[in-house]
Amino acid sequence: MLSDESVSVKDISVAIGFTDQMYFSKVFKKIKGVTPTEYRKSCTKVYRLP
C-alpha cells in the first residue's frame, strides 16, 4: 500500500485498523527501522543505469 503515493499514510493506517497515524508510524518504525514515509521513498526511488 505504501508504494502507491496516491494514498496518504493516514488513510493507509486507518485502512489497516489504526485510529492514530502517529501510533502507526511508531509501530512501523519499530518493526521496519524507518518511518512509513521513508519506506515509501525507498520503494519509489528510480534507479538510473550509468
Side-chain angles (χ1 to χ4, degrees), residues 3-49:
S3 63
D4 182 359
E5 291 185 0
S6 68
V7 181
S8 71
V9 174
K10 181 179 180 177
D11 289 342
I12 293 169
S13 67
V14 170
I16 61 172
F18 286 85
T19 55
D20 182 352
Q21 177 189 350
M22 293 303 294
Y23 182 64
F24 165 70
S25 294
K26 183 177 179 178
V27 171
F28 188 93
K29 184 169 184 173
K30 185 173 184 177
I31 293 170
K32 298 300 272 182
V34 294
T35 66
T37 302
E38 292 168 335
Y39 184 83
R40 172 178 272 178
K41 287 178 184 175
S42 72
C43 289
T44 59
K45 195 180 275 188
V46 176
Y47 294 97
R48 295 179 184 237
L49 297 174

